[in-house]
Amino acid sequence: MKYRLRNSRFTWHFLNAVMFLLLNSEINAQWPALSTPNVAISTSVGNEHNYWACSDDKGGSITVWEDDRAADQDIYVQRIDNNANILWTAGGVPVSVIAGHNHGPMIVRDGSSGAIMAWKDERGASKDIYAQAIDSNGVVKWIVNGVAVCTDAGDQEKVYIVGDGAGGAIISWIDDRNGNQDIYAQRINAAGVVQWTADGVAICTATNEQKDICMVEDGAGGAVITWTDKRTDVDIFVQRINSLGVVQYAINGLIITALPTDQE
């Protein structure tokens, strides 16, 4: 009995090893030789950081990042195919290189092998939200250096983006216009035109801070948004917004957790 147990364990480990080798053989057939297993998205001077990626709908990916090659922080993007070939301009396509720091980009596929990205932008007196689209050939589609999503008073930051199922996107962010951290959202269509109330629809403007957004498209042109909420202690809340920019749940969201301890 002990012999069979050991033998069974040996067989299991052996099969795992064989599967590992087979998978690596398949990967190595598609990607560069094992001596150089990584593909450089950008090796420009300065630092590249705060990156995010999405599918290109063709087995490859599109990556956006914050880039320090110039005097301040800019936004660049690059696409690779399923054979690890760089498809666009070496070093990346500039998305926003206007004066002032651009931070924390996030990206979502547009369903046509391109993508839409949004970021926190400091070209003005405060931090604002901008967005840009890029097509499958690496050509930016909207206004040079991005479309303004929110430029209201106070700072807007910590952006989150999902697709709207129609070639556009829904963007949410943390907003200080009311003197504390609230949550707002905006929809932008495939042409780069904002669809809802100027500077965004209020998702939550309850007292104290709301932060740590997570969001998913709802399959009907809207989105469901969750966040950490400090209106009493630290809890988790949720809100849904439809394709027309109308919130669907109670004002300031529904509570998911109401325990006496913190949830975040």
Side-chain angles (χ1 to χ4, degrees):
M1 187 69 176
K2 289 182 179 179
Y3 172 79
R4 282 205 297 263
L5 182 59
R6 290 195 192 101
N7 190 48
S8 175
R9 287 175 177 170
F10 170 79
T11 302
W12 175 252
H13 290 303
F14 175 76
L15 290 173
N16 274 326
V18 170
M19 183 62 72
F20 175 80
L21 291 173
L22 288 172
L23 287 172
N24 274 283
S25 296
E26 183 178 353
I27 291 169
N28 289 334
Q30 297 179 24
W31 287 74
L34 197 58
S35 60
T36 56
N38 300 314
V39 177
I41 300 294
S42 174
T43 57
S44 66
V45 296
N47 297 318
E48 295 84 20
H49 46 100
N50 284 345
Y51 48 87
W52 201 273
C54 68
S55 169
D56 70 351
D57 298 307
K58 300 289 185 181
S61 64
I62 302 173
T63 302
V64 66
W65 67 91
E66 195 176 304
D67 196 296
D68 294 345
R69 71 185 69 178
D72 55 9
Q73 292 164 326
D74 298 315
I75 306 295
Y76 280 76
V77 65
Q78 182 61 270
R79 181 183 176 191
I80 63 171
D81 66 18
N82 63 341
N83 291 311
N85 296 307
I86 299 293
L87 298 182
W88 295 342
T89 304
V93 176
V95 171
S96 179
V97 292
I98 198 167
H101 295 316
N102 305 289
H103 300 280
M106 192 174 181
I107 192 168
V108 67
R109 64 189 184 91
D110 67 1
S112 300
S113 298
I116 300 172
M117 60 222 81
W119 64 92
K120 176 183 70 176
D121 195 298
E122 296 185 29
R123 70 185 70 181
S126 59
K127 300 170 184 176
D128 299 314
I129 305 298
Y130 278 73
Q132 181 62 274
I134 193 162
D135 69 17
S136 60
N137 296 312
V139 178
V140 292
K141 297 169 62 176
W142 300 342
I143 299 169
V144 174
N145 292 317
V147 173
V149 174
C150 180
T151 57
D152 207 322
D155 290 339
Q156 291 83 41
E157 55 186 337
K158 297 178 182 177
V159 67
Y160 207 105
I161 185 170
V162 298
D164 68 354
I170 297 172
I171 301 162
S172 61
W173 62 89
I174 305 299
D175 197 300
D176 288 342
R177 73 182 71 177
N178 300 315
N180 62 297
Q181 292 184 326
D182 296 320
I183 298 174
Y184 282 74
Q186 180 62 271
R187 183 180 182 186
I188 192 165
N189 69 10
V193 179
V194 295
Q195 300 295 290
W196 298 341
T197 303
D199 290 320
V201 175
I203 300 298
C204 182
T205 57
T207 58
N208 293 328
E209 295 180 354
Q210 288 79 44
K211 60 178 185 175
D212 302 333
I213 296 171
C214 190
M215 180 169 61
V216 65
E217 57 192 83
D218 68 359
V224 178
I225 306 169
T226 62
W227 64 90
T228 302
D229 197 297
K230 293 186 176 181
R231 69 185 73 176
T232 53
D233 52 7
V234 184
D235 297 312
I236 307 297
F237 277 72
V238 63
Q239 181 61 273
R240 181 180 179 186
I241 189 165
N242 71 9
S243 62
L244 300 176
V246 180
V247 294
Q248 300 296 289
Y249 302 158
I251 294 175
N252 291 324
L254 298 176
I255 192 166
I256 292 178
T257 63
L259 299 171
T261 54
D262 291 348
Q263 295 82 43
E264 59 185 328

